[in-house]
Amino acid sequence: MMERTFVMLKPDAVERGLVGAVLARLEAKGLRLVAAKTMLIDRRLAEEHYQLHKGKPFFEDLVQFICSGMVLVSVWEGRNAIRAVRQLVGATDPTAAAPGTIRGDFGLEITRNIVHASDSQEASAREIRLFFGDLTR
Ligand code: CMP
């Protein structure tokens, strides 16, 4: 099934110069880049994006980190894109993520885990709308 998914390269990926390496993996998989932009996220947007995690012990660290530097937000399209990207990204904790995955190869800390990717169709629709508005094509 053709799907779109939302991918954010977090401040650690941008600061460490990993943008090209991460995007190259998504392109190599065969996913199509639909939209992308760099931006600074403010607290209001960060809290809305991570609304499901509100109240969890790591929420404050997460919001502070995501607002701490430039991110690159993007939309990718392809067959089962949500699942395909989640597999490329690997487990949330980089020390648990398999080698060969983005987090497994580039990350060490759970907050600074390189990338965020939508985990469901509901999340992808919500996140694409939140960061890109009405992306019709
Ligand atoms: P992400 O996929 O962006 O979704 C929520 C983020 O919270 C997650 O990646 C991690 O960077 C961060 N996080 C920090 N601590 C935890 C934790 N204990 N469990 C899940 N996510 C965490």
Side-chain angles (χ1 to χ4, degrees):
M1 175 192 168
M2 280 307 268
E3 277 178 348
R4 284 182 175 184
T5 190
F6 172 81
V7 178
M8 178 194 297
L9 276 57
K10 298 186 181 185
D12 53 336
V14 176
E15 276 160 20
R16 292 173 58 200
L18 297 174
V19 169
V22 172
L23 298 184
R25 291 184 177 208
L26 303 179
E27 290 183 322
K29 183 72 174 172
L31 294 153
R32 185 176 81 86
L33 180 61
V34 174
K37 62 186 176 188
T38 54
M39 65 185 294
L40 280 170
I41 297 182
D42 65 20
R43 194 175 175 95
R44 184 200 59 78
L45 181 57
E47 288 194 6
E48 177 143 18
H49 172 64
Y50 281 127
Q51 60 181 226
L52 259 62
H53 296 297
K54 217 162 191 165
K56 294 185 185 170
F58 58 85
F59 183 73
E60 188 55 35
D61 281 352
L62 175 60
V63 166
Q64 273 192 28
F65 171 60
I66 221 70
C67 297
S68 70
M70 201 75 100
V71 301
L72 186 142
V73 290
S74 59
V75 177
W76 297 80
E77 184 176 76
R79 185 172 158 267
N80 296 333
I82 295 167
R83 192 174 132 88
V85 170
R86 295 280 294 185
Q87 285 191 336
L88 292 179
V89 165
T92 303
D93 183 347
T95 61
T101 64
I102 293 166
R103 288 170 176 158
D105 288 350
F106 297 129
L108 204 53
E109 291 175 43
I110 193 164
T111 298
R112 304 174 80 86
N113 64 350
I114 318 289
V115 63
H116 164 86
S118 310
D119 63 0
S120 67
Q121 293 189 18
E122 295 67 37
S124 85
R126 187 177 74 79
E127 292 167 357
I128 290 169
R129 198 174 329 104
L130 185 59
F131 285 90
F132 289 97
D134 196 9
L135 260 194
T136 39
R137 37 177 279 151

